[in-house]
Amino acid sequence: MRILYGILASLLLLTGAAPASAQGYPNRPVRVVVGFPAGGPTDIIARIVAQRLSDSLGQQFYVENVGGAGGNTASGQVARVTPDGYTIMAISTGFLVNPSLYAKVPYDPVKDFTAVTLVAVSPNVVVVNPLVPAKTLPELVQLIRDNPGKYSYAGPGVGSTPHLGGEMFRLTYKLDLIHIPFTGAAPAVQATIGGHTPIAFTALPSSMAAIQAGQVRAIGIAATERAEQIPNVPTFAEQGIKDQEADTLTGIVAPAGTPKEIVDLLAREIAKSVARPDVKERLVNLGFKPVANTPDEFTARIRLELEKWGKVVRDANLRIE
């Protein structure tokens, strides 16, 4: 029997059936899972990436939308597939927030996944209805303090990056500011346009059109530098409000155990795609800043985001059962 096992093992190696090699990858279609319905920012970026990988690697990369439980359903499924490179996943910041926010999630973002690359980031932006007198963030802080219980802010759902950015802002300045959760970014922005909620914390893609049309006034970007799309809007730090950066991330991960050669190949090809002028322009037009970093760099960013948002969730006493 030992001889037979040895022969079988040798045959597997000779035929290239051993799973730990990237040789010949990909030789069949690759599934790119998105944990949200089609049409949202994560889905759009996943489709851009999938098309470019299809073109550069000669096999179809196709997007499959698996909605449910704020992305947890998809993450749980992908965590348990065979780590052979034929299933990868596009994630947003919720992938990193949910383990702290939900009582139970079916995955561990570090143990169950391998980082491939952070494709792009989008900063949070604070917008107000034009009738709100505050023109800057310090003025907004003072306005809320002078009118306790009067002001609320709209956000695209509990646990979203804009919601947590709003909570971080509220906790830092000990503000009597109420979060009004909506079922998505679009209704949150519409509520602010209509004056139903005077303030909104959103990711830039969600409010960019309303800002540019003058329907809302942007008063601060939660990033280390100004956004190319709205260069006249100062950052939080420029207004004296420190350590409030809040990006919405969109990246690619693979199940833990995916061969390093495959992970590195995907990261290189995605970086080449994101560097293309047409892809870069499309991402900027969507409200994103292209990144496409290395697997090690994305791993470090994942750990940083887990710690940062986990603290906000705990400090704000947020929980979804």
Side-chain angles (χ1 to χ4, degrees):
M1 289 299 292
R2 286 197 298 270
I3 294 172
L4 178 60
Y5 289 148
I7 293 171
L8 287 172
S10 298
L11 286 173
L12 285 171
L13 290 171
L14 289 171
T15 57
S21 173
Q23 186 174 3
Y25 173 88
N27 56 26
R28 54 188 170 89
V30 177
R31 182 172 64 136
V32 184
V33 175
V34 175
F36 308 98
T42 307
D43 176 74
I44 291 171
I45 290 181
R47 292 179 189 277
I48 293 172
V49 168
Q51 182 59 59
R52 292 302 173 190
L53 289 174
S54 298
D55 294 342
S56 64
L57 294 178
Q59 283 287 345
Q60 182 187 11
F61 283 70
Y62 65 95
V63 171
E64 180 177 317
N65 299 92
V66 181
N72 291 340
T73 300
S75 299
Q77 290 182 11
V78 174
R80 285 156 185 77
V81 302
T82 302
D84 55 8
Y86 289 93
T87 297
I88 59 178
M89 185 174 180
I91 64 163
S92 69
T93 310
F95 175 81
L96 309 171
V97 171
N98 289 354
S100 299
L101 181 66
Y102 284 77
K104 185 177 182 181
V105 295
Y107 70 98
D108 184 303
V110 174
K111 294 179 181 178
D112 293 336
F113 288 90
T114 296
V116 177
T117 186
L118 174 58
V119 180
V121 299
S122 176
N124 283 355
V125 58
V126 180
V127 300
V128 298
N129 181 277
L131 296 178
V132 172
K135 301 294 195 297
T136 67
L137 287 171
E139 288 179 4
L140 183 64
V141 169
Q142 192 60 50
L143 182 67
I144 296 168
R145 284 178 172 167
D146 290 344
N147 297 273
K150 179 179 177 181
Y151 283 94
S152 61
Y153 74 94
V158 175
S160 63
T161 314
H163 172 215
L164 297 182
E167 288 300 290
M168 185 162 59
F169 182 73
R170 179 184 67 81
L171 290 166
T172 299
Y173 291 95
K174 298 179 174 59
L175 301 175
D176 188 354
L177 181 64
I178 300 167
H179 172 235
I180 307 297
F182 286 82
T183 55
V189 173
Q190 285 301 316
T192 307
I193 291 171
H196 307 297
T197 49
I199 307 162
F201 280 71
T202 77
L204 180 56
S206 309
S207 56
M208 190 164 63
I211 294 168
Q212 293 170 340
Q215 294 173 302
V216 294
R217 182 170 65 250
I219 60 174
I221 288 284
T224 56
E225 58 187 24
R226 296 193 183 197
E228 180 179 343
Q229 299 85 347
I230 46 174
N232 294 329
V233 180
T235 66
F236 278 44
E238 285 179 295
Q239 300 179 67
I241 295 178
K242 307 294 186 182
D243 302 320
Q244 293 281 309
E245 288 76 21
D247 286 330
T248 296
L249 314 182
T250 303
I252 301 295
V253 298
T258 300
K260 185 178 185 300
E261 297 94 333
I262 292 176
V263 171
D264 290 343
L265 172 66
L266 291 171
R268 287 195 304 271
E269 292 302 320
I270 293 170
K272 289 177 187 176
S273 296
V274 170
R276 289 171 54 106
D278 58 328
V279 175
K280 188 177 294 185
E281 181 182 8
R282 188 171 180 194
L283 290 172
V284 169
N285 288 340
L286 288 169
F288 283 86
K289 177 183 176 182
V291 179
N293 58 8
T294 67
D296 286 345
E297 289 169 337
F298 191 24
T299 298
R301 182 65 182 269
I302 284 172
R303 293 182 182 278
L304 180 67
E305 296 286 319
L306 280 168
E307 181 179 350
K308 175 181 181 176
W309 295 124
K311 183 178 187 307
V312 174
V313 168
R314 291 189 297 273
D315 290 349
N317 197 27
L318 302 175
R319 198 69 167 169
I320 297 177
E321 297 298 331

